[in-house]
Amino acid sequence: MSIRMRAMFARSKSLIGLRVRSLGSRIALVYVVLLAILMVATLFVANSSIAIFARENAEGDLGSNARVFDQIIASRQSQMANAGQVVARDFGFREAYATGDTDTLISALQSLRDRANVSEAAIVQLDGSVIGGDLDGTALLPRLENGKDRGVIRLGKDEALAAAVPIEMPDLAGWLILVSRLGPADVAQLSRLSAVPIEAHVVDRGDLAPHLAQLPLGKIGEVDDGNGERLVRVSPLASLQEGSEGRLVLTHSLEAAMARYTVLHVALMFISLFGMLAGAWAAIRISRGVAKPLQQLAEAARAYAAGAVSKVRVSGPSEVRSLAASFNAMVEAVEEREQQILHASLHDVLTGLPNRRFFIEKLDRAVQRQTASARTLVAFIDVDDFKTINDSMGHAIGDGVLCAVAQGLQDQFPDAMVARFGGDEFGLLLNGIEAGFDCTAIARSLEIVLNREMTVDERPVLVSSSIGIAIGPDDAANGDGLLNSADLALYRAKSDGKGGCHFFEPSLDAEASRRRRMEVDLRHAIRDGDFELYFQPLYSISEGRVKGFEALMRWHHREHGMISPATFIPIAEETGLIVPLGEWALREACRVAAQWPDGLSVAVNISPRQLGADGLASTVAQALAQSGLAAPRLELEITESVFIGNVEKTLRVLHTFQALGVRVALDDFGTGYSSLSYLRSFPFNKIKIDQSFVQALGDGGSAHAIIRAITTLADALGMETLAEGVETAELLELLRSEGCDMIQGYLISKPVPAAAVLNLLRSVHSADRKAVAG
């Protein structure tokens, strides 16, 4: 204890006439005095902080409402401008203006004024004269000629919002002006939209009071107008009239803002008083128990030895306190280690969330209590393209994304159980959901929290997740069934695209069974050779002949007939069967093409899964050697998605193809992520323009410009261009005019079996000769 504290205690004794003889009494007195000092200091700091907070909050309210006023004014001007544009572009209106039909113009302006709910609607002509309104056209003319189209003008004694719309026939012939008055009543109506009591005034700069004119524009200042201190913000308003400078003045009573915290001040005083009384009571209890610490410690040791977790109060002399603290530390350390072991077995290390085991235990207990009126919801969540995030941005960012997803789910669903199942998979459990509750609201909340841009280590990361939801007891009566149903719904969500949510449907179980059967049949088909290659011609516009064919896989199922590639290719990609299937297609395409005339090439699609597998370059070299096909006659088509992930490995493989003499084409150009960067990284021989751009040529718009840009870029880089999905002669002529080299589509031919290729060549060449002769 310090000398100053001893002196203070001595003075206290002399004042109150007490003699403190026992250690317990001295402890009680010191405790009460220190508590009183602490309470007074806390009360002072709290009141000061409340005052500062109240002022900052009032300034924040005023600033927020200033922005709201700005948005309301801008919105009103946009509404007037939109209404004016409809009239200004009307043929009848422009005809009446061109012919000088004043009566028709005035009638149209009156109709516009009523419809748009504005104060004035008039026309300002190029010489400053005005039709249909009491406006000073000469004062408006300089601003209008400088391109200003919105601002404040003077309308009588009041300020008013104005929006100008040019009248073009086609050259500029005047301006249609819409004016909305900002009188005291109008501004007061706007003020009532504010969440806090704000007074608003719109005045001209010259009419500002001196103490307001000195305030910096757009800043919040404090003034005393005789009715108390007020926060004031003066904002400039754009002017559409010479000699007029509008100002928006917002004021907020500081006294009224502070009054809201009066109850808090009173509450703090009562809390301090209660704290003093509670502290005095605690001091008395401590002083009474000073003689018993050793006995309590002995009893606690015996209880702990018997298996009960027991601690003692740390009190008494320093030696006793040290012993009691050491005993309590030992108990806490043992208990903490036990809790850590238990926690580690039930929680995820990275996110701290419950793990799959803990989740299933909670789910099993929840389904035992579920009824038709107290349902159980399970959501299965998978972060889309998480491997890409890990590979492209690093595992530290990937871990940060997982933690951000976990925190977002916990914040959005504080009453739910959120678990990490492992990797990029999470689970959500909600029980006791009433029968009438709309679970789509939960789905929408999940989509909002999981599909957004997250900031990890100060880096923006765009994250999306797929979600599958199952609800018991309708979807399943037990925990395993609910998890399986949610997993099936998740699979459908991922199939439908990224960032989606899907509820379980009974058809999903049937669909999963169908996919499993399809996978089995696919394995048998690869083993038994049930696949066949069809070939679609690649036609050169400039040379007027077929230069090659694209090999397309077809599956003749022994029971179900022809299976669409859109059905079996995704299953092959997912299961990895695309690798042996693609290898077969490559060898078969080379074998068939080797029998064609020398001038014909064959194009084979290479999937991202194939390109990522080891040994693809060796397979290509073997296919060429076994078939005898010249390397320049083989063209491998890849999509931009192969660059997602290990870009360096992909580029190495592509350069290996190029070293073999094989041509490489970039398929579906323009629909991926960063086409131009890939063209810089690797010299492709051909760019295939996606059919979505080709089909859009008939609709006009920007498709022409896009295709022209692609062909110009490809020509500059020494690459050919091929347009997919050409079905009409009109599209052919449009592509010819845009500089496209080759086309592919039903206009030339549908895909045909290998046996029909030579006949197709003769028919196409015969048709070309007839077209030339005609």
Side-chain angles (χ1 to χ4, degrees), residues 20 22-32 283 286-287 290 316-317 321:
V20 181
S22 67
L23 178 62
S25 300
R26 291 199 299 272
I27 291 175
L29 182 58
V30 170
Y31 188 85
V32 171
I286 291 173
S287 63
V290 73
R321 292 200 304 271

Side-chain angles (χ1 to χ4, degrees), residues 101 167 186 203 254 270 291 310-311 416 423 469 490 511 569 585 655 665:
D101 188 352
I167 303 173
D186 304 291
V203 299
L254 193 57
F270 278 107
S310 179
K311 298 181 182 180
I469 297 178
L490 172 63
E511 175 69 13
I569 291 294
H655 282 292

